[in-house]
Amino acid sequence: MEKNVQALTREDLAAASEAFRAERANLVAKNAVSSRGIRAAARVPEAVAASALGFDVEVPQGDRCDQERSGRCWMFASLNTMRLRTIRKYNLKTFELSQAYPLFWDKLEKSNWFLGNVLDTLDEPVDGRLVSFLLADPIGDGGQWDMFKSLVKKYGVCPKEAMPETACSRNTREMDSYLTRYLRGCACRLRRAHEAGVGADDLASMRREMMGEVYQLLATCLGEPPAGFEVRLRDKDDRLALSGTFTPQEFFAEAVGMELDDYVSLISAPTADKPFGHAYTVSRLGNVEEDGGVRYLNLPVSELKRCAMEQLADDLPVWFGCDVDQSYLSDEGIMDTAALDVDALFGFPVEGCMDRAERLEFGESLMTHAMVLEGVRLGADGAPELWKVENSWGKDHGRNGFDTISDAWFDEYVYQVVVDKRYLTDEERHVFETEEARVLAPWDPMGSLARTR
């Protein structure tokens, strides 16, 4: 098809300039935005006031955690839903599980998963969409609940003291950069060997050797994960509540005791290619190879809210994934579609130019960040109005480390919640447990990984 050439003319530019300067509101907006920035100029104080604190259902947590300069939000959110059980069981003031420990195993397992994908696509063109996608970000920090569940089932958890943070866990950029470079080199070597006629057994031997070197790189950056450790937990009254020697698997069973397989991922993607009421998975997305990938049930966002509210009412927090930077006053910790009136600032629809489905379809929105719902404020009719959120950006972020989400923002930008399957209807549970999952392309927006910092 011949390209339709339509150059901008001097007349076009002159008309645009004249129309801009003719409106007083444009000049006021120009002065405000050029001096303060878009969000500061578009901030709506009345909407900010509506996000005042006060919740009908609230799940108290421990001290706020900080993922620092890493994309481990999904790990922090997962561990924060788990540590509450330990805090309650032993009457602790606060408690923190090691975030460096699952980081080590996730990088190792993702590396093995990546090399498996490389071997599985040896005959695909290296510049084709699939291989290019696989090479783009082989071991990034991001992840999904199902991937974290796989790590815990295989490796357990440990207290933060048993594997503390390092320079490379607090800021993962250098480690990720060098590991990515090494793995791309591995992909090159495996493909070259295949082209030279090397057989499957020898390629598998090369893969094992490569994984030994990945282990060495990770151990250098993060230290080796403990096979066992001493534990001494003291309760709020300084009495010894738990002591002994544990493996990470034993510690999870004893101190957390969460039935991981009872928790399921619900997504809400209202696009035509994903009818509600069906199970989905994402091709080539995962980390622990023997545990498979991810599994979702796609439901209307109202169902995600219903399940989240019921779990909160049972005094349990809720892992969720969202597009965090949309309509977000980060310094104030407020996510609210009414808090920023960008469209009024510019005088035409910018934020309002697409609906939820269109934003997903045209690459404007996807899940970028995972956090924990720990409270909700209800209206007179019992419907949610405001959600309280535990973030993982430290106690100095937002309001003492937590944010709020308006219910309207939830409607637009929350894409996933993880809940106990007992909150599903019988029909929803049956579909999740029995239906053969429909396979989404690796680059589908529902394959996005929570990774924002």
Side-chain angles (χ1 to χ4, degrees), residues 21-228:
R21 288 183 283 108
E23 291 290 336
R24 174 181 174 277
N26 290 340
L27 303 180
V28 173
K30 172 178 65 73
N31 294 341
V33 172
S34 61
S35 61
R36 296 294 308 279
I38 294 172
R39 295 197 183 198
R43 180 181 180 274
V44 179
E46 293 83 0
V48 172
S51 295
L53 305 182
F55 301 91
D56 298 291
V57 179
E58 197 165 358
V59 182
Q61 298 276 69
D63 293 343
R64 305 299 170 182
C65 302
D66 191 350
Q67 67 188 80
E68 300 189 61
R69 299 183 65 82
S70 72
R72 294 176 291 166
C73 59
W74 61 294
M75 292 184 174
F76 275 73
S78 301
L79 292 169
N80 286 346
T81 65
M82 293 177 180
R83 68 172 178 155
L84 180 60
R85 298 165 185 267
T86 308
I87 291 171
R88 287 176 176 167
K89 183 173 183 177
Y90 301 107
N91 193 31
L92 308 178
K93 181 180 179 181
T94 190
F95 179 69
E96 204 166 337
L97 291 160
S98 170
Q99 301 93 2
Y101 180 77
L103 177 66
F104 181 100
W105 295 120
D106 180 59
K107 296 295 184 187
L108 190 73
E109 291 286 355
K110 276 181 181 168
S111 298
N112 188 53
W113 182 280
F114 169 73
L115 294 180
N117 277 328
V118 169
L119 292 174
D120 195 41
T121 57
L122 290 173
D123 295 319
E124 295 280 338
V126 73
D127 60 349
R129 185 174 189 182
L130 177 57
V131 176
S132 296
F133 178 84
L134 295 174
L135 291 171
D137 189 16
I139 48 82
D141 285 356
Q144 284 274 356
W145 162 259
D146 284 353
M147 295 163 66
F148 193 81
K149 178 174 71 173
S150 295
L151 293 174
V152 175
K153 288 169 70 174
K154 185 170 183 177
Y155 296 108
V157 298
C158 65
K160 190 159 191 170
E161 294 78 10
M163 189 168 179
E165 296 286 286
T166 72
C168 291
S169 66
R170 289 191 291 266
N171 186 343
T172 55
R173 182 176 180 179
E174 276 191 334
M175 178 181 69
D176 285 354
S177 176
Y178 285 112
L179 181 52
T180 297
R181 183 183 181 119
Y182 174 75
L183 288 172
R184 287 173 178 156
C186 292
C188 177
R189 288 160 53 197
L190 289 170
R191 290 180 68 92
R192 296 287 184 267
H194 173 66
E195 291 167 1
V198 173
D201 289 345
D202 288 334
L203 291 174
S205 295
M206 291 175 64
R207 179 183 180 180
R208 281 191 291 272
E209 181 180 345
M210 292 167 178
M211 286 306 304
E213 291 171 343
V214 170
Y215 186 100
Q216 181 178 337
L217 188 155
L218 292 172
T220 302
C221 294
L222 301 172
E224 288 197 272

Side-chain angles (χ1 to χ4, degrees), residues 74 77-78 81 144-145 317-321 367 370-372 416-418:
W74 61 294
S78 301
T81 65
Q144 284 274 356
W145 162 259
V318 178
W319 189 108
F320 79 103
M367 185 187 72
M371 298 179 283
V372 178
Q416 183 177 2
V417 301
V418 173

Side-chain angles (χ1 to χ4, degrees), residues 439-450:
V439 181
L440 303 176
W443 40 83
D444 189 276
M446 289 300 104
S448 64
L449 301 180

